[in-house]
Amino acid sequence: MPRENTPEHQRSEKIPIFRLLALLLIPPMEFLARYVIIDGDKLPKHGAFVFAPNHYSEIDPVVIGRVMYKLGRAPRYLTKASLFTVPVLGWFLRTSGQIPVERSGVSRGSDPIASANKLVRDGLAVVIYPEGSLTRDPRLWPMRGKTGAVRMALAAGVPLIPVAHWGTQFVMPRYGKKISLFPRKTITVKIGDPVDLSAFAGRGLDPSTLHEATAVLMAAITSLLVDLRGEPAPAEPWDPTKHRQSETGRFE
């Protein structure tokens, strides 16, 4: 059996830097909110996979990191390369094995295929937000997705796990500058079954294939969010270009 699939690899995943980060971040996150995790058993206990959440608050990565850590995994993120030059923060990012990405979407010093190979070799859990930025949908439904999460999963041949959460916006609104301390909020997280990408295997990573597969992923995430919100989703995902919105940066 490959080393990344062994219990020993699972135990070694929480290296000291992650334990330090957990010590610093989990207590305040527990103070801010209680977490209801639905189908947590669907998160792979070991081995490589891509975790694809919805995204509507700048505090989302900390929320997802807290959930994954509590479920026994240490998350890695595709992170803006410029953040690696920030004192202290850059050290944390490098030491914890985060993946620097330039604005062009290419991993620093490598390409997405090389990053995918490292993902498999090291048995890592990598979080990729398929929307690429906070949703532009005014009702906070997932917007049209980008292809990064699907590309990584197909290139690496690893599971692509959709996840949706709801309640983070009450802790920090989209593009908010302040965290709401009281009353304590509830954040509900639902993890889905791996997205079935078998129809796309062997087709190559051409744009048509990636966009088609990404639509399947976004539908899976949206379906999970429908369950959490108890209301129907829009008939079509929000498309920023149709609303003359920039797809990156703040727009409010």
Side-chain angles (χ1 to χ4, degrees):
M1 182 177 293
R3 183 173 181 267
E4 63 266 19
N5 291 326
T6 64
E8 288 77 14
H9 188 279
Q10 181 187 356
R11 287 197 297 270
S12 67
E13 190 173 342
K14 290 185 176 180
I15 57 179
I17 186 63
F18 273 108
R19 298 185 186 280
L20 174 59
L21 289 170
L23 183 64
L24 295 174
L25 295 177
I26 288 181
M29 292 305 295
E30 295 290 336
F31 173 80
L32 290 172
R34 61 183 291 267
Y35 299 82
V36 177
I37 302 175
I38 302 172
D39 294 332
D41 59 309
K42 293 182 178 180
L43 187 83
K45 301 304 180 186
H46 51 79
F49 66 95
V50 174
F51 206 43
N54 59 323
H55 197 17
Y56 54 84
S57 171
E58 290 180 319
I59 203 173
D60 287 346
V62 183
V63 170
I64 291 298
R66 179 270 180 207
V67 169
M68 292 182 68
Y69 195 86
K70 284 292 188 178
L71 292 175
R73 299 305 303 262
R76 270 75 176 184
Y77 295 86
L78 298 185
T79 307
K80 291 180 182 179
S82 59
L83 296 180
F84 284 73
T85 64
V86 177
V88 182
L89 174 61
W91 179 85
F92 274 110
L93 294 174
R94 290 188 297 274
T95 306
S96 60
Q98 308 308 315
I99 303 171
V101 176
E102 304 289 355
R103 286 184 179 275
S104 63
V106 176
S107 299
R108 178 183 291 175
S110 65
D111 58 28
I113 302 300
S115 297
N117 289 336
K118 177 176 174 56
L119 167 67
V120 172
R121 184 173 64 252
D122 295 343
L124 301 178
V126 176
V127 180
I128 301 179
Y129 286 95
E131 295 167 89
S133 62
L134 303 188
T135 181
R136 267 53 175 154
D137 187 305
R139 295 179 57 206
L140 305 184
W141 288 101
M143 65 178 178
R144 182 194 64 189
K146 297 182 181 298
T147 61
V150 162
R151 177 188 292 273
M152 182 75 76
L154 285 172
V158 298
L160 176 60
I161 310 295
V163 57
H165 58 89
W166 190 242
T168 306
Q169 74 277 17
F170 301 123
V171 177
M172 177 180 280
R174 181 177 56 177
Y175 297 123
K177 296 182 179 180
K178 295 182 179 180
I179 291 177
S180 175
L181 299 177
F182 303 105
R184 192 182 186 214
K185 313 303 186 293
T186 296
I187 297 174
T188 308
V189 182
K190 185 170 185 178
I191 299 172
D193 294 310
V195 177
D196 184 2
L197 298 177
S198 59
F200 308 102
R203 285 175 49 177
L205 301 180
D206 59 276
S208 177
T209 296
L210 293 175
H211 286 296
E212 187 179 343
T214 297
V216 174
L217 168 62
M218 297 312 299
I221 296 171
T222 301
S223 178
L224 294 171
L225 189 57
V226 166
D227 290 344
L228 295 183
R229 294 177 60 164
E231 56 183 304
E236 294 183 0
W238 186 272
D239 186 342
T241 60
K242 292 181 179 179
H243 296 271
R244 299 180 180 180
Q245 295 174 326
S246 168
E247 297 196 31
T248 59
R250 294 173 178 264
F251 72 104
E252 294 179 334

